[in-house]
Amino acid sequence: MYTESRRSQSHPRTGPPPQQYLNDEQEYDEPGDEQYSEPEEPDDFYQRNAAPSSYSVDAYAQGPHSVATQSNRGPSPTPGPLLDHSHLRPGNQASLLSHERTLELYRANAKKTQDPDLQFEFAVFMIDASKSLPIPASEPGNLLEVERATEKREELIREATGLLKRLADRGHPASQYFLADCYSNGIGTVKNKQDFDRAYPLFVLAAKHGHPDAAYRAGTCCENGWGCRRESAKAIQFFRKAAAALHPGAMYRLGIAELNGELGQSKSPKEGVKWLKRSAEHATAEFPHALHELALLHERGVDNVLFVDYEYSTELLAQAAELGYAPSAYRLGECYEYGKMGCPQDPALSIHYYNIAAQQNHRDACFALTAWYLVGSPGVLPQSDTEAFLWAQKAAEGGLAKAMYACGYFLEVGIGTQANARESQAYYKRSADLGDKRAMQRLRGAPTQPLLSPGDRHAVLHRTPGADDGAGGKGKDGKDCIIM
């Protein structure tokens, strides 16, 4: 029933890397304590059959766009033409190459080139390959196999981070940023723990070299005190530097700061709206937040700054939803279900937008699909008690109190699943713990609350547009002002 999110953070994989990585004369130095200075000894990696190449820092100021949204880990930078393997020239049997052989050819090519961009892309390839390396489940009979697989993964990460450090030492901004991103997400660190003490200086270095993503990430570090002191003024400086390069996340953060008077800024709705508009013009799948925020502002208006415009608001929500932003998709689902903000009541569009949000585990959207499946929509959605129960379970897993109550009720009556009094009571208890009064009454067995018949089951949902679920969640908009 459930499908993968449209914006998966994973990368395609083809198989495990080889057991042997380098011969003795090809070994990279292992990464150690970072000093970010030129090495004392000449580096054979860069001098193989050629003099050391020189390149301008400015030539690499615009690194690959890789930013994170709701977590510290951003997607790996989009590789350039190197990853099409055309440079390997393996002949007509290219599609038959194993992942191990591809990695070997990749390594050989990276060893020969003097292009830091190609070497950087190879390092990214190795990091991505390490993620796909399967680690078998630990069992009494395969401990040695687990140990070997883990060692292979660590060796691959060690090789990649060593290469990234060499490139970072030579002022390659994309490598500085990506290595910092690895450290901030526990890749290549001690015990795989986040290490902002090593990440932050690299974010700063890349930002000085003109890397917009690095400037944005350095700003978030200063704002939250990650690897540095918490300094709002410094955070604003980094955000402005990234915003000057049209980074949508930085422009959004500046807009929210101006709107709310955060980060030491005086409250200025007019300036805040200006930043949000600029961010919306450059919105991406990683940073669609300004589109959503502007839509909310146009829905209610801002005195002497923005007028109420429902049509434009829904247009902005649609743009954000097409970028995969779940809160915007959920809001549109509500509009088309209840005919809000000038939208017609349209079951097909409502279900479409709810589904976009639900595929990303938006709990309110999942619960909205529960209601739709209970009644169905002729020609659009077949009625299904089973699907209704499963979507309610999905919403309950997300912590939605009313969904927990609904699951308890479905299990009590036997709607979409076999009746199970024990599981029903468990759901009621979880819902009651979050403050749901109906669940409390069910647990008490209140005689004034008769059990509804299956024919009246839709009444159990009590779906009121925009109502609080009592679970202390983020609310219907589900928006955060800070994205790392």
PDB file of all heavy atoms in Angstrom, residues 202-237:
ATOM      1  N   LEU A 202      35.620  23.570   8.248  1.00  0.00           N
ATOM      2  CA  LEU A 202      35.600  23.288   6.813  1.00  0.00           C
ATOM      3  C   LEU A 202      34.448  24.011   6.126  1.00  0.00           C
ATOM      4  O   LEU A 202      34.589  24.487   4.992  1.00  0.00           O
ATOM      5  CB  LEU A 202      35.486  21.784   6.589  1.00  0.00           C
ATOM      6  CG  LEU A 202      36.778  20.998   6.811  1.00  0.00           C
ATOM      7  CD1 LEU A 202      36.494  19.510   6.922  1.00  0.00           C
ATOM      8  CD2 LEU A 202      37.762  21.270   5.680  1.00  0.00           C
ATOM      9  N   PHE A 203      33.305  24.102   6.787  1.00  0.00           N
ATOM     10  CA  PHE A 203      32.202  24.897   6.236  1.00  0.00           C
ATOM     11  C   PHE A 203      32.654  26.346   6.044  1.00  0.00           C
ATOM     12  O   PHE A 203      32.366  26.974   5.012  1.00  0.00           O
ATOM     13  CB  PHE A 203      30.990  24.866   7.174  1.00  0.00           C
ATOM     14  CG  PHE A 203      30.169  23.607   7.095  1.00  0.00           C
ATOM     15  CD1 PHE A 203      29.677  23.024   8.257  1.00  0.00           C
ATOM     16  CD2 PHE A 203      29.869  23.015   5.879  1.00  0.00           C
ATOM     17  CE1 PHE A 203      28.912  21.863   8.197  1.00  0.00           C
ATOM     18  CE2 PHE A 203      29.108  21.859   5.808  1.00  0.00           C
ATOM     19  CZ  PHE A 203      28.622  21.282   6.974  1.00  0.00           C
ATOM     20  N   VAL A 204      33.374  26.868   7.037  1.00  0.00           N
ATOM     21  CA  VAL A 204      33.843  28.257   6.960  1.00  0.00           C
ATOM     22  C   VAL A 204      34.826  28.431   5.809  1.00  0.00           C
ATOM     23  O   VAL A 204      34.749  29.408   5.046  1.00  0.00           O
ATOM     24  CB  VAL A 204      34.487  28.679   8.297  1.00  0.00           C
ATOM     25  CG1 VAL A 204      35.138  30.057   8.169  1.00  0.00           C
ATOM     26  CG2 VAL A 204      33.443  28.697   9.411  1.00  0.00           C
ATOM     27  N   LEU A 205      35.775  27.488   5.662  1.00  0.00           N
ATOM     28  CA  LEU A 205      36.747  27.578   4.571  1.00  0.00           C
ATOM     29  C   LEU A 205      36.057  27.568   3.208  1.00  0.00           C
ATOM     30  O   LEU A 205      36.367  28.389   2.341  1.00  0.00           O
ATOM     31  CB  LEU A 205      37.733  26.410   4.657  1.00  0.00           C
ATOM     32  CG  LEU A 205      38.869  26.513   5.678  1.00  0.00           C
ATOM     33  CD1 LEU A 205      39.668  25.223   5.695  1.00  0.00           C
ATOM     34  CD2 LEU A 205      39.757  27.698   5.353  1.00  0.00           C
ATOM     35  N   ALA A 206      35.124  26.640   3.028  1.00  0.00           N
ATOM     36  CA  ALA A 206      34.420  26.570   1.746  1.00  0.00           C
ATOM     37  C   ALA A 206      33.592  27.820   1.507  1.00  0.00           C
ATOM     38  O   ALA A 206      33.476  28.300   0.376  1.00  0.00           O
ATOM     39  CB  ALA A 206      33.538  25.318   1.702  1.00  0.00           C
ATOM     40  N   ALA A 207      33.009  28.366   2.576  1.00  0.00           N
ATOM     41  CA  ALA A 207      32.225  29.595   2.444  1.00  0.00           C
ATOM     42  C   ALA A 207      33.105  30.754   2.001  1.00  0.00           C
ATOM     43  O   ALA A 207      32.706  31.571   1.162  1.00  0.00           O
ATOM     44  CB  ALA A 207      31.553  29.926   3.775  1.00  0.00           C
ATOM     45  N   LYS A 208      34.316  30.822   2.540  1.00  0.00           N
ATOM     46  CA  LYS A 208      35.249  31.883   2.132  1.00  0.00           C
ATOM     47  C   LYS A 208      35.623  31.755   0.663  1.00  0.00           C
ATOM     48  O   LYS A 208      35.966  32.742   0.010  1.00  0.00           O
ATOM     49  CB  LYS A 208      36.501  31.836   3.002  1.00  0.00           C
ATOM     50  CG  LYS A 208      36.272  32.304   4.430  1.00  0.00           C
ATOM     51  CD  LYS A 208      37.554  32.233   5.255  1.00  0.00           C
ATOM     52  CE  LYS A 208      37.313  32.750   6.669  1.00  0.00           C
ATOM     53  NZ  LYS A 208      38.539  32.665   7.514  1.00  0.00           N
ATOM     54  N   HIS A 209      35.579  30.533   0.155  1.00  0.00           N
ATOM     55  CA  HIS A 209      35.878  30.302  -1.256  1.00  0.00           C
ATOM     56  C   HIS A 209      34.653  30.449  -2.140  1.00  0.00           C
ATOM     57  O   HIS A 209      34.692  30.121  -3.315  1.00  0.00           O
ATOM     58  CB  HIS A 209      36.481  28.906  -1.445  1.00  0.00           C
ATOM     59  CG  HIS A 209      37.852  28.764  -0.882  1.00  0.00           C
ATOM     60  ND1 HIS A 209      38.384  27.559  -0.464  1.00  0.00           N
ATOM     61  CD2 HIS A 209      38.811  29.689  -0.630  1.00  0.00           C
ATOM     62  CE1 HIS A 209      39.611  27.749  -0.005  1.00  0.00           C
ATOM     63  NE2 HIS A 209      39.895  29.029  -0.094  1.00  0.00           N
ATOM     64  N   GLY A 210      33.548  30.895  -1.555  1.00  0.00           N
ATOM     65  CA  GLY A 210      32.372  31.203  -2.360  1.00  0.00           C
ATOM     66  C   GLY A 210      31.388  30.071  -2.529  1.00  0.00           C
ATOM     67  O   GLY A 210      30.595  30.082  -3.469  1.00  0.00           O
ATOM     68  N   HIS A 211      31.416  29.071  -1.646  1.00  0.00           N
ATOM     69  CA  HIS A 211      30.492  27.951  -1.753  1.00  0.00           C
ATOM     70  C   HIS A 211      29.200  28.308  -1.010  1.00  0.00           C
ATOM     71  O   HIS A 211      29.191  28.389   0.226  1.00  0.00           O
ATOM     72  CB  HIS A 211      31.118  26.702  -1.140  1.00  0.00           C
ATOM     73  CG  HIS A 211      30.463  25.423  -1.549  1.00  0.00           C
ATOM     74  ND1 HIS A 211      29.178  25.098  -1.173  1.00  0.00           N
ATOM     75  CD2 HIS A 211      30.903  24.380  -2.313  1.00  0.00           C
ATOM     76  CE1 HIS A 211      28.870  23.911  -1.666  1.00  0.00           C
ATOM     77  NE2 HIS A 211      29.895  23.460  -2.365  1.00  0.00           N
ATOM     78  N   PRO A 212      28.065  28.521  -1.707  1.00  0.00           N
ATOM     79  CA  PRO A 212      26.828  28.986  -1.059  1.00  0.00           C
ATOM     80  C   PRO A 212      26.298  28.022  -0.009  1.00  0.00           C
ATOM     81  O   PRO A 212      25.874  28.444   1.071  1.00  0.00           O
ATOM     82  CB  PRO A 212      25.844  29.136  -2.226  1.00  0.00           C
ATOM     83  CG  PRO A 212      26.687  29.225  -3.451  1.00  0.00           C
ATOM     84  CD  PRO A 212      27.899  28.409  -3.170  1.00  0.00           C
ATOM     85  N   ASP A 213      26.290  26.711  -0.323  1.00  0.00           N
ATOM     86  CA  ASP A 213      25.779  25.733   0.639  1.00  0.00           C
ATOM     87  C   ASP A 213      26.598  25.754   1.917  1.00  0.00           C
ATOM     88  O   ASP A 213      26.064  25.625   3.020  1.00  0.00           O
ATOM     89  CB  ASP A 213      25.806  24.327   0.040  1.00  0.00           C
ATOM     90  CG  ASP A 213      24.839  24.177  -1.118  1.00  0.00           C
ATOM     91  OD1 ASP A 213      23.801  24.847  -1.089  1.00  0.00           O
ATOM     92  OD2 ASP A 213      25.128  23.402  -2.037  1.00  0.00           O
ATOM     93  N   ALA A 214      27.922  25.892   1.772  1.00  0.00           N
ATOM     94  CA  ALA A 214      28.790  25.922   2.942  1.00  0.00           C
ATOM     95  C   ALA A 214      28.507  27.150   3.795  1.00  0.00           C
ATOM     96  O   ALA A 214      28.508  27.076   5.026  1.00  0.00           O
ATOM     97  CB  ALA A 214      30.254  25.893   2.510  1.00  0.00           C
ATOM     98  N   ALA A 215      28.270  28.291   3.158  1.00  0.00           N
ATOM     99  CA  ALA A 215      27.951  29.501   3.911  1.00  0.00           C
ATOM    100  C   ALA A 215      26.648  29.319   4.688  1.00  0.00           C
ATOM    101  O   ALA A 215      26.532  29.736   5.847  1.00  0.00           O
ATOM    102  CB  ALA A 215      27.844  30.690   2.963  1.00  0.00           C
ATOM    103  N   TYR A 216      25.670  28.684   4.049  1.00  0.00           N
ATOM    104  CA  TYR A 216      24.394  28.431   4.727  1.00  0.00           C
ATOM    105  C   TYR A 216      24.585  27.501   5.922  1.00  0.00           C
ATOM    106  O   TYR A 216      24.074  27.751   7.018  1.00  0.00           O
ATOM    107  CB  TYR A 216      23.391  27.831   3.751  1.00  0.00           C
ATOM    108  CG  TYR A 216      22.136  27.332   4.421  1.00  0.00           C
ATOM    109  CD1 TYR A 216      21.196  28.222   4.925  1.00  0.00           C
ATOM    110  CD2 TYR A 216      21.901  25.966   4.580  1.00  0.00           C
ATOM    111  CE1 TYR A 216      20.056  27.778   5.564  1.00  0.00           C
ATOM    112  CE2 TYR A 216      20.767  25.508   5.216  1.00  0.00           C
ATOM    113  CZ  TYR A 216      19.841  26.413   5.702  1.00  0.00           C
ATOM    114  OH  TYR A 216      18.719  25.958   6.343  1.00  0.00           O
ATOM    115  N   ARG A 217      25.352  26.418   5.717  1.00  0.00           N
ATOM    116  CA  ARG A 217      25.566  25.462   6.802  1.00  0.00           C
ATOM    117  C   ARG A 217      26.391  26.092   7.934  1.00  0.00           C
ATOM    118  O   ARG A 217      26.159  25.797   9.115  1.00  0.00           O
ATOM    119  CB  ARG A 217      26.256  24.209   6.270  1.00  0.00           C
ATOM    120  CG  ARG A 217      25.449  23.424   5.258  1.00  0.00           C
ATOM    121  CD  ARG A 217      24.284  22.691   5.871  1.00  0.00           C
ATOM    122  NE  ARG A 217      24.715  21.579   6.698  1.00  0.00           N
ATOM    123  CZ  ARG A 217      25.042  20.372   6.232  1.00  0.00           C
ATOM    124  NH1 ARG A 217      24.983  20.118   4.926  1.00  0.00           N
ATOM    125  NH2 ARG A 217      25.400  19.413   7.062  1.00  0.00           N
ATOM    126  N   ALA A 218      27.359  26.945   7.592  1.00  0.00           N
ATOM    127  CA  ALA A 218      28.125  27.642   8.627  1.00  0.00           C
ATOM    128  C   ALA A 218      27.202  28.541   9.442  1.00  0.00           C
ATOM    129  O   ALA A 218      27.337  28.663  10.662  1.00  0.00           O
ATOM    130  CB  ALA A 218      29.248  28.460   7.996  1.00  0.00           C
ATOM    131  N   GLY A 219      26.222  29.155   8.760  1.00  0.00           N
ATOM    132  CA  GLY A 219      25.255  29.995   9.457  1.00  0.00           C
ATOM    133  C   GLY A 219      24.409  29.202  10.437  1.00  0.00           C
ATOM    134  O   GLY A 219      24.167  29.649  11.564  1.00  0.00           O
ATOM    135  N   THR A 220      23.972  28.022  10.033  1.00  0.00           N
ATOM    136  CA  THR A 220      23.163  27.200  10.934  1.00  0.00           C
ATOM    137  C   THR A 220      23.989  26.727  12.129  1.00  0.00           C
ATOM    138  O   THR A 220      23.465  26.592  13.234  1.00  0.00           O
ATOM    139  CB  THR A 220      22.567  25.989  10.199  1.00  0.00           C
ATOM    140  OG1 THR A 220      23.611  25.186   9.653  1.00  0.00           O
ATOM    141  CG2 THR A 220      21.642  26.430   9.077  1.00  0.00           C
ATOM    142  N   CYS A 221      25.282  26.478  11.886  1.00  0.00           N
ATOM    143  CA  CYS A 221      26.159  26.096  13.001  1.00  0.00           C
ATOM    144  C   CYS A 221      26.270  27.235  14.007  1.00  0.00           C
ATOM    145  O   CYS A 221      26.170  27.019  15.223  1.00  0.00           O
ATOM    146  CB  CYS A 221      27.547  25.717  12.482  1.00  0.00           C
ATOM    147  SG  CYS A 221      27.627  24.119  11.630  1.00  0.00           S
ATOM    148  N   CYS A 222      26.466  28.455  13.512  1.00  0.00           N
ATOM    149  CA  CYS A 222      26.576  29.615  14.413  1.00  0.00           C
ATOM    150  C   CYS A 222      25.257  29.872  15.129  1.00  0.00           C
ATOM    151  O   CYS A 222      25.248  30.275  16.297  1.00  0.00           O
ATOM    152  CB  CYS A 222      26.984  30.853  13.614  1.00  0.00           C
ATOM    153  SG  CYS A 222      28.690  30.820  13.016  1.00  0.00           S
ATOM    154  N   GLU A 223      24.158  29.653  14.443  1.00  0.00           N
ATOM    155  CA  GLU A 223      22.853  29.883  15.063  1.00  0.00           C
ATOM    156  C   GLU A 223      22.595  28.903  16.203  1.00  0.00           C
ATOM    157  O   GLU A 223      22.022  29.270  17.236  1.00  0.00           O
ATOM    158  CB  GLU A 223      21.749  29.751  14.015  1.00  0.00           C
ATOM    159  CG  GLU A 223      20.351  29.947  14.588  1.00  0.00           C
ATOM    160  CD  GLU A 223      19.253  29.823  13.555  1.00  0.00           C
ATOM    161  OE1 GLU A 223      19.582  29.647  12.355  1.00  0.00           O
ATOM    162  OE2 GLU A 223      18.076  29.887  13.946  1.00  0.00           O
ATOM    163  N   ASN A 224      23.025  27.651  16.031  1.00  0.00           N
ATOM    164  CA  ASN A 224      22.711  26.610  17.003  1.00  0.00           C
ATOM    165  C   ASN A 224      23.874  26.244  17.917  1.00  0.00           C
ATOM    166  O   ASN A 224      23.704  25.425  18.817  1.00  0.00           O
ATOM    167  CB  ASN A 224      22.242  25.354  16.258  1.00  0.00           C
ATOM    168  CG  ASN A 224      20.947  25.586  15.500  1.00  0.00           C
ATOM    169  OD1 ASN A 224      19.875  25.647  16.086  1.00  0.00           O
ATOM    170  ND2 ASN A 224      21.047  25.714  14.175  1.00  0.00           N
ATOM    171  N   GLY A 225      25.046  26.826  17.678  1.00  0.00           N
ATOM    172  CA  GLY A 225      26.194  26.506  18.518  1.00  0.00           C
ATOM    173  C   GLY A 225      26.758  25.134  18.241  1.00  0.00           C
ATOM    174  O   GLY A 225      27.185  24.434  19.162  1.00  0.00           O
ATOM    175  N   TRP A 226      26.793  24.720  16.989  1.00  0.00           N
ATOM    176  CA  TRP A 226      27.326  23.410  16.601  1.00  0.00           C
ATOM    177  C   TRP A 226      28.773  23.572  16.160  1.00  0.00           C
ATOM    178  O   TRP A 226      29.063  24.086  15.086  1.00  0.00           O
ATOM    179  CB  TRP A 226      26.513  22.813  15.460  1.00  0.00           C
ATOM    180  CG  TRP A 226      25.098  22.483  15.853  1.00  0.00           C
ATOM    181  CD1 TRP A 226      24.622  22.235  17.101  1.00  0.00           C
ATOM    182  CD2 TRP A 226      23.972  22.377  14.966  1.00  0.00           C
ATOM    183  NE1 TRP A 226      23.275  21.983  17.060  1.00  0.00           N
ATOM    184  CE2 TRP A 226      22.850  22.048  15.767  1.00  0.00           C
ATOM    185  CE3 TRP A 226      23.804  22.513  13.593  1.00  0.00           C
ATOM    186  CZ2 TRP A 226      21.578  21.875  15.226  1.00  0.00           C
ATOM    187  CZ3 TRP A 226      22.543  22.337  13.050  1.00  0.00           C
ATOM    188  CH2 TRP A 226      21.441  22.014  13.873  1.00  0.00           C
ATOM    189  N   GLY A 227      29.705  23.138  17.000  1.00  0.00           N
ATOM    190  CA  GLY A 227      31.126  23.228  16.672  1.00  0.00           C
ATOM    191  C   GLY A 227      31.695  24.611  16.853  1.00  0.00           C
ATOM    192  O   GLY A 227      32.855  24.854  16.516  1.00  0.00           O
ATOM    193  N   CYS A 228      30.914  25.520  17.406  1.00  0.00           N
ATOM    194  CA  CYS A 228      31.352  26.900  17.614  1.00  0.00           C
ATOM    195  C   CYS A 228      30.447  27.536  18.664  1.00  0.00           C
ATOM    196  O   CYS A 228      29.480  26.924  19.130  1.00  0.00           O
ATOM    197  CB  CYS A 228      31.301  27.699  16.307  1.00  0.00           C
ATOM    198  SG  CYS A 228      29.649  27.765  15.584  1.00  0.00           S
ATOM    199  N   ARG A 229      30.761  28.767  19.041  1.00  0.00           N
ATOM    200  CA  ARG A 229      29.888  29.482  19.959  1.00  0.00           C
ATOM    201  C   ARG A 229      28.615  29.904  19.231  1.00  0.00           C
ATOM    202  O   ARG A 229      28.634  30.149  18.032  1.00  0.00           O
ATOM    203  CB  ARG A 229      30.598  30.718  20.516  1.00  0.00           C
ATOM    204  CG  ARG A 229      31.709  30.412  21.501  1.00  0.00           C
ATOM    205  CD  ARG A 229      32.232  31.698  22.118  1.00  0.00           C
ATOM    206  NE  ARG A 229      32.752  32.610  21.095  1.00  0.00           N
ATOM    207  CZ  ARG A 229      33.127  33.863  21.338  1.00  0.00           C
ATOM    208  NH1 ARG A 229      33.021  34.351  22.557  1.00  0.00           N
ATOM    209  NH2 ARG A 229      33.601  34.617  20.367  1.00  0.00           N
ATOM    210  N   ARG A 230      27.535  29.996  19.969  1.00  0.00           N
ATOM    211  CA  ARG A 230      26.274  30.462  19.384  1.00  0.00           C
ATOM    212  C   ARG A 230      26.346  31.970  19.214  1.00  0.00           C
ATOM    213  O   ARG A 230      26.400  32.727  20.180  1.00  0.00           O
ATOM    214  CB  ARG A 230      25.105  30.079  20.292  1.00  0.00           C
ATOM    215  CG  ARG A 230      23.754  30.438  19.718  1.00  0.00           C
ATOM    216  CD  ARG A 230      22.628  29.880  20.583  1.00  0.00           C
ATOM    217  NE  ARG A 230      22.618  28.426  20.531  1.00  0.00           N
ATOM    218  CZ  ARG A 230      21.699  27.682  21.142  1.00  0.00           C
ATOM    219  NH1 ARG A 230      20.740  28.253  21.853  1.00  0.00           N
ATOM    220  NH2 ARG A 230      21.747  26.370  21.050  1.00  0.00           N
ATOM    221  N   GLU A 231      26.389  32.419  17.973  1.00  0.00           N
ATOM    222  CA  GLU A 231      26.516  33.843  17.674  1.00  0.00           C
ATOM    223  C   GLU A 231      25.532  34.213  16.575  1.00  0.00           C
ATOM    224  O   GLU A 231      25.728  33.876  15.401  1.00  0.00           O
ATOM    225  CB  GLU A 231      27.935  34.186  17.227  1.00  0.00           C
ATOM    226  CG  GLU A 231      29.008  33.967  18.287  1.00  0.00           C
ATOM    227  CD  GLU A 231      30.381  34.382  17.803  1.00  0.00           C
ATOM    228  OE1 GLU A 231      30.616  35.597  17.672  1.00  0.00           O
ATOM    229  OE2 GLU A 231      31.202  33.493  17.533  1.00  0.00           O
ATOM    230  N   SER A 232      24.479  34.928  16.951  1.00  0.00           N
ATOM    231  CA  SER A 232      23.453  35.311  15.981  1.00  0.00           C
ATOM    232  C   SER A 232      24.006  36.248  14.915  1.00  0.00           C
ATOM    233  O   SER A 232      23.680  36.120  13.726  1.00  0.00           O
ATOM    234  CB  SER A 232      22.276  35.980  16.697  1.00  0.00           C
ATOM    235  OG  SER A 232      21.621  35.068  17.555  1.00  0.00           O
ATOM    236  N   ALA A 233      24.844  37.191  15.334  1.00  0.00           N
ATOM    237  CA  ALA A 233      25.385  38.160  14.371  1.00  0.00           C
ATOM    238  C   ALA A 233      26.222  37.454  13.300  1.00  0.00           C
ATOM    239  O   ALA A 233      26.146  37.788  12.108  1.00  0.00           O
ATOM    240  CB  ALA A 233      26.228  39.205  15.101  1.00  0.00           C
ATOM    241  N   LYS A 234      27.015  36.481  13.735  1.00  0.00           N
ATOM    242  CA  LYS A 234      27.847  35.744  12.783  1.00  0.00           C
ATOM    243  C   LYS A 234      26.981  34.880  11.873  1.00  0.00           C
ATOM    244  O   LYS A 234      27.265  34.734  10.680  1.00  0.00           O
ATOM    245  CB  LYS A 234      28.841  34.872  13.555  1.00  0.00           C
ATOM    246  CG  LYS A 234      30.120  34.551  12.789  1.00  0.00           C
ATOM    247  CD  LYS A 234      31.154  33.963  13.735  1.00  0.00           C
ATOM    248  CE  LYS A 234      32.486  33.798  13.027  1.00  0.00           C
ATOM    249  NZ  LYS A 234      33.503  33.225  13.932  1.00  0.00           N
ATOM    250  N   ALA A 235      25.914  34.297  12.443  1.00  0.00           N
ATOM    251  CA  ALA A 235      24.997  33.495  11.631  1.00  0.00           C
ATOM    252  C   ALA A 235      24.379  34.342  10.536  1.00  0.00           C
ATOM    253  O   ALA A 235      24.290  33.922   9.373  1.00  0.00           O
ATOM    254  CB  ALA A 235      23.908  32.895  12.515  1.00  0.00           C
ATOM    255  N   ILE A 236      23.966  35.566  10.893  1.00  0.00           N
ATOM    256  CA  ILE A 236      23.378  36.471   9.900  1.00  0.00           C
ATOM    257  C   ILE A 236      24.377  36.782   8.802  1.00  0.00           C
ATOM    258  O   ILE A 236      24.025  36.832   7.605  1.00  0.00           O
ATOM    259  CB  ILE A 236      22.896  37.777  10.571  1.00  0.00           C
ATOM    260  CG1 ILE A 236      21.639  37.500  11.412  1.00  0.00           C
ATOM    261  CG2 ILE A 236      22.620  38.853   9.541  1.00  0.00           C
ATOM    262  CD1 ILE A 236      20.410  37.159  10.591  1.00  0.00           C
ATOM    263  N   GLN A 237      25.657  36.968   9.155  1.00  0.00           N
ATOM    264  CA  GLN A 237      26.678  37.246   8.149  1.00  0.00           C
ATOM    265  C   GLN A 237      26.792  36.102   7.149  1.00  0.00           C
ATOM    266  O   GLN A 237      26.843  36.330   5.933  1.00  0.00           O
ATOM    267  CB  GLN A 237      28.031  37.481   8.827  1.00  0.00           C
ATOM    268  CG  GLN A 237      28.137  38.787   9.589  1.00  0.00           C
ATOM    269  CD  GLN A 237      29.500  38.953  10.255  1.00  0.00           C
ATOM    270  OE1 GLN A 237      30.325  38.039  10.246  1.00  0.00           O
ATOM    271  NE2 GLN A 237      29.724  40.119  10.843  1.00  0.00           N
TER     272      GLN A 237
END
